Amino acid sequence: PHCTVRTDRVASRRTAVRTLSGGLFAEVFERADNPMVVVAPRGEVLRMNAAARRLLGRADVDRLDVADLVPEDSRAMIREFLD
């Protein structure tokens, strides 16, 4: 099971990150046992929770694209989907 949070209606990446970083959402998101990643419509990873960082062995998401998180043979499909 997964949940999709769409950010295509948000004015900017900065606004999206600020929105996703505050309040109850941020606490629930960060403490969730399931790995979760928030991705902008063009594939930029905006945020990932602690479970996702542990699973992927990453400390941050700077300049990370969702295609970087899937096996190499699936990257073209992901990029096509995002275009």
Side-chain angles (χ1 to χ4, degrees):
H2 68 279
C3 175
T4 303
V5 176
R6 295 197 51 133
T7 61
D8 54 336
R9 294 183 183 168
V10 179
S12 70
R13 179 187 189 282
R14 179 176 294 150
T15 302
V17 171
R18 189 171 42 242
T19 300
L20 296 170
S21 297
L24 182 59
F25 174 84
E27 186 173 340
V28 170
F29 180 85
E30 189 61 30
R31 293 176 183 239
D33 292 332
N34 294 325
M36 293 188 281
V37 179
V38 178
V39 179
R42 300 294 296 166
E44 178 185 14
V45 175
L46 300 176
R47 184 161 186 192
M48 70 174 68
N49 69 353
R53 290 190 302 273
R54 279 191 305 273
L55 177 70
L56 299 169
R58 301 188 84 83
D60 60 43
V61 296
D62 289 342
R63 295 186 171 89
L64 187 62
D65 188 271
V66 70
D68 298 328
L69 304 177
V70 299
E72 193 169 331
D73 61 345
S74 298
R75 290 179 185 168
M77 179 185 67
I78 294 295
R79 288 192 178 104
E80 182 180 321
F81 174 77
L82 293 171
D83 284 339

